[in-house]
Amino acid sequence: MTRWAPDARGRLAQAALDLCSERGFEQTTVAEIAARAGLTERTFFRHFADKREVLFAGADELQALVVGAVADAADTATPIEAAAAGVEVAGVALQQRRDFAGKRQAVIMANAELRERELIKLATLAAAIAGALRERGVADSVAELTGEVAISVFKLAFERWVGDAAGGRDLAQLIRESLRELRAVTSG
């Protein structure tokens, strides 16, 4: 095994995704993931608590990126504009990993436990957006509602994005379209 090859974490994530796509999440073992990545099980557990978490690698970094964009939004931005800045920056970041995101989503949708973990991740992200809005001086109820709405917009756009086989539109564009649809719904 290639013990000291670079990017062990990334190789493990790719190996897990490939195996889970080929065989299903339940039928894939940590030993197989490690072997596919050219690493040991011990190395796997240095990076991830379990095989479920390997599919959610990067969630903390994505959350930090979103919260940072909300915090950095213009002082004149409304709560939804600040939250939109956060989810749009997530869209830009994820765009670079379109194939990975699509395969990952298919694996998640095929497993109830992973769907539950994905919902927890999204709820945590909504709470983080609400927290960033509170830091901007937004009232609690408005911050919470805005965080939930922003994640709903993101989730809808993400589902459209991974379902777009032609790959014609990027995720940030779909997020902006979903926000326009939201404004149309709420303005009338």
Side-chain angles (χ1 to χ4, degrees), residues 130 134 137-146:
R134 280 189 206 91
V138 176
D140 284 345
S141 61
V142 173
E144 289 175 27
L145 178 61
T146 306

Side-chain angles (χ1 to χ4, degrees), residues 20-119:
C20 290
S21 294
E22 293 164 14
R23 305 168 69 201
F25 177 76
E26 295 87 358
Q27 291 74 33
T28 301
T29 68
V30 169
E32 292 166 332
I33 294 167
R36 173 78 63 101
L39 300 164
T40 64
E41 283 184 71
R42 187 175 186 172
T43 300
F44 177 94
F45 288 113
R46 278 192 207 119
H47 292 278
F48 303 104
D50 58 38
K51 72 176 183 174
R52 184 180 61 150
E53 291 307 311
V54 72
L55 295 172
F56 294 91
D60 292 340
E61 292 85 1
L62 185 66
Q63 181 173 311
L65 185 67
V66 169
V67 167
V70 172
D72 292 342
D75 291 341
T76 58
T78 65
I80 195 65
E81 289 169 342
V87 294
E88 282 184 42
V89 79
V92 170
L94 290 172
Q95 185 66 40
Q96 299 166 11
R97 302 190 70 194
R98 183 184 191 109
D99 291 339
F100 187 92
K103 283 176 79 173
R104 179 186 168 276
Q105 187 69 5
V107 169
I108 288 170
M109 296 313 293
N111 181 280
E113 178 186 348
L114 296 176
R115 286 192 307 271
E116 178 181 11
R117 175 66 178 85
E118 180 75 356
L119 290 173

Side-chain angles (χ1 to χ4, degrees), residues 67 71 128-138 143:
V67 167
I129 291 170
L133 290 170
R134 280 189 206 91
E135 290 291 321
R136 293 175 58 87
V138 176

Side-chain angles (χ1 to χ4, degrees), residues 95 98-99 160-170 174:
Q95 185 66 40
R98 183 184 191 109
D99 291 339
R160 288 177 179 168
W161 180 62
V162 296
D164 180 11
R169 296 180 292 174
D170 67 32
L174 289 167

